[in-house]
Amino acid sequence: METFKYLKITILCDNVIGKLSGIGEHGFSAFIETDKGSYLFDTGSGLGILYNAATFKTDLRTIKKVFLSHGHHDHTGGLARVLDIVNPVDVHCHPSIFDEKFKIVKEGDKEYREFIGIPQRQILLETKGAEFKFNKDFQEIEGGIFFTGEIPRLTHFELRDKALFVKKGTIYEADDVVDDQALILCTKKGVVVLLGCAHAGTINTLWYIANNLKVETFYAVIGGTHLGPLTEEQLKYSIDILKQIDIKVLGISHCTGIPASQKLLHELGNKCTYASVGTTFEIT
């Protein structure tokens, strides 16, 4: 398996600011620098990506490829702005990423619907230089980089977010977020996994990667774990298994949520850190 000799990940977008500069927003984005070039994983909601990229001296013009974890606005909203900086550029994602995604919440007799899909239409993004490369299956994009494709839901405790729906015609159907993908970077110190929101479940995702790559350890797992929406019982199951998996560094952010983050920091100790805006992870 081909590996990177050098890897540096800078968190450009997250809910939390970890330094004295930068813009926080509900979203996630990570800039990836390697000895073979630079890549971008997710683009945040669009508020902070250009400002934060300039603040932390990450040159978006050097990006070789963009990877989108799934089709929610807080991971794709900044794509149009990125395309103003670098184009044309390959954008890897699932073919369902442009589904009409909604969040629907009921409060008493009232129902609130919010569109949470990609803000721009595919044709507009293509006009700006996006060259979409769709995949459903586990795939090696280039040497040392894998994209998971659809992740099987195997655990009994990582259930879909009941507020998420997809509009098909005039009907709103439960959204299992089949477009959810994780990015894998292979380094000489081990496998690094980037999670967008892990809608398929963090445990499901790591098990799927381990099975496909035939690995038993992860050097780093970084990003949104989607532990925030889980019940106390579901969270306990997830943390118990995370403690059993051999992960050297766990960088939590975004949809992990503050209460779940506090528990992870307590349970996993020094191997766990918060991956806020401006945080860097460097492997040499």
Side-chain angles (χ1 to χ4, degrees):
M1 185 165 54
E2 194 170 338
T3 61
F4 292 108
K5 296 177 182 177
Y6 172 79
L7 174 67
K8 181 180 179 182
I9 297 171
T10 302
I11 307 302
L12 293 184
C13 299
D14 183 57
N15 305 31
V16 177
I17 303 172
K19 297 181 179 292
L20 296 178
S21 56
I23 295 174
E25 62 180 35
H26 180 76
F28 186 76
S29 177
F31 184 80
I32 304 160
E33 299 170 79
T34 78
D35 53 289
K36 301 175 185 177
S38 300
Y39 309 87
L40 186 68
F41 178 69
D42 283 349
T43 65
S45 65
L47 174 65
I49 189 161
L50 297 189
Y51 181 86
N52 290 344
T55 298
F56 301 111
K57 296 180 173 55
T58 54
D59 190 353
L60 298 179
R61 295 172 298 178
T62 65
I63 294 170
K64 291 174 60 179
K65 298 178 186 296
V66 176
F67 298 90
L68 299 178
S69 63
H70 63 296
H72 285 154
H73 67 95
D74 50 332
H75 296 260
T76 61
L79 180 57
R81 296 186 181 185
V82 170
L83 292 170
D84 289 335
I85 304 298
V86 56
N87 64 81
V89 65
D90 288 351
V91 180
H92 292 266
C93 54
H94 188 279
S96 296
I97 202 164
F98 285 99
D99 283 357
E100 294 184 53
K101 295 174 177 292
F102 282 80
K103 180 177 182 180
I104 301 178
V105 178
K106 292 184 179 181
E107 295 181 3
D109 296 332
K110 295 184 178 181
E111 182 176 271
Y112 300 91
R113 296 180 184 177
E114 177 187 3
F115 176 74
I116 58 172
I118 298 180
Q120 296 85 20
R121 297 182 65 184
Q122 181 176 346
I123 187 64
L124 171 62
L125 295 170
E126 290 175 334
T127 301
K128 292 173 74 69
E131 298 184 354
F132 289 100
K133 308 293 183 182
F134 298 113
N135 73 295
K136 288 186 177 182
D137 302 315
F138 195 95
Q139 178 180 340
E140 185 171 19
I141 305 300
E142 60 179 66
I145 301 179
F146 295 82
F147 216 18
T148 60
E150 296 179 12
I151 299 166
R153 275 66 164 170
L154 301 178
T155 61
H156 70 278
F157 54 89
E158 293 178 305
L159 307 177
R160 82 167 192 88
D161 189 329
K162 294 182 179 180
L164 301 181
F165 291 83
V166 58
K167 186 178 181 183
K168 295 184 178 180
T170 59
I171 298 175
Y172 293 86
E173 298 181 359
D175 189 3
D176 290 327
V177 198
V178 295
D179 48 316
D180 177 74
Q181 300 196 61
L183 185 68
I184 304 145
L185 306 162
C186 301
T187 78
K188 60 183 182 179
K189 289 189 176 180
V191 169
V192 175
V193 178
L194 280 171
L195 306 171
C197 255
H199 283 286
T202 296
I203 306 304
N204 281 329
T205 301
L206 295 180
W207 282 353
Y208 186 59
I209 293 170
N211 183 60
N212 275 275
L213 292 184
K214 308 305 178 188
V215 297
E216 297 181 354
T217 65
F218 298 90
Y219 182 79
V221 177
I222 301 165
T225 63
H226 208 62
L227 295 178
L230 300 186
T231 65
E232 285 293 323
E233 184 180 21
Q234 291 171 323
L235 180 59
K236 184 180 184 305
Y237 277 124
S238 293
I239 292 178
D240 285 347
I241 294 178
L242 280 172
K243 289 165 68 175
Q244 296 172 21
I245 298 175
D246 188 357
I247 303 172
K248 305 302 181 186
V249 178
L250 178 62
I252 51 178
S253 62
H254 185 43
C255 54
T256 303
I258 300 301
S261 295
Q262 290 174 332
K263 290 185 178 182
L264 283 168
L265 290 165
H266 175 73
E267 294 283 346
L268 275 70
N270 293 334
K271 71 166 59 177
C272 186
T273 186
Y274 198 90
S276 53
V277 170
T279 302
T280 59
F281 301 85
E282 193 166 3
I283 301 170
T284 57

